[in-house]
Amino acid sequence: MASPHPGMHVLCPLCEGPIPDLLGELTDEPAAINASTRATDCYYCEAPLLCPGLGSLLVAPVPPVPPPPAKRTACKRDIKFGDASGVDAWRVGVEQALQDEANNPYRDPKLPPITRTKMVNKFGQRAFEGYAWA
């Protein structure tokens, strides 16, 4: 089950890392993440994120009221990516997709611009760099 795709132009509200896909399928609660009833964490800064719809990404309320964000697991990472090195290939592929979308001459001009094409946040941290896999 694929998780919400906020949009190629969407950045984490806290660290400004590009979040084109929440990758909720790497958690133990993908259905709740898809329904926006459970947060998952940013893969840069681990902030709790909810995607209520295309183009929208919100910081979820902090625990203890809701449960903490669902963590992605190494087991599910390995099912999707093969192993930890597969994450690097995913990052390269997403960067290429962001670049292609940003340079697409047929892109709908009503869509917000893609401002980041590298999978790094405003602090220079790469997606999943130092990520604590559950």
Side-chain angles (χ1 to χ4, degrees):
M1 171 188 301
S3 61
H5 292 73
M8 297 294 271
H9 61 284
V10 177
L11 306 176
C12 171
L14 296 180
C15 73
E16 298 177 8
I19 309 286
D21 184 347
L22 287 181
L23 295 174
E25 67 270 22
L26 300 183
T27 73
D28 289 332
E29 300 187 52
I33 292 165
N34 290 348
S36 295
T37 58
R38 178 73 198 251
T40 190
D41 56 347
C42 171
Y43 35 78
Y44 302 94
C45 69
E46 300 187 34
L49 301 175
L50 285 172
C51 178
L54 184 64
S56 181
L57 194 60
L58 308 172
V59 176
V62 293
V65 176
K71 294 289 289 180
R72 294 171 190 88
T73 66
C75 176
K76 294 207 175 180
R77 173 203 62 203
D78 293 348
I79 289 170
K80 182 173 180 84
F81 297 121
D83 59 18
S85 67
V87 175
D88 293 333
W90 170 81
R91 232 185 342 240
V92 169
V94 171
E95 287 179 348
Q96 184 62 56
L98 287 165
Q99 188 71 42
D100 292 347
E101 186 68 16
N103 294 326
N104 181 353
Y106 304 107
R107 189 171 197 279
D108 187 341
K110 293 179 267 182
L111 290 172
I114 295 173
T115 58
R116 302 258 176 137
T117 58
K118 297 294 178 197
M119 295 296 286
V120 296
N121 66 14
K122 68 182 179 181
F123 306 110
Q125 182 183 15
R126 295 184 61 78
F128 292 115
E129 186 175 75
Y131 185 80
W133 296 93

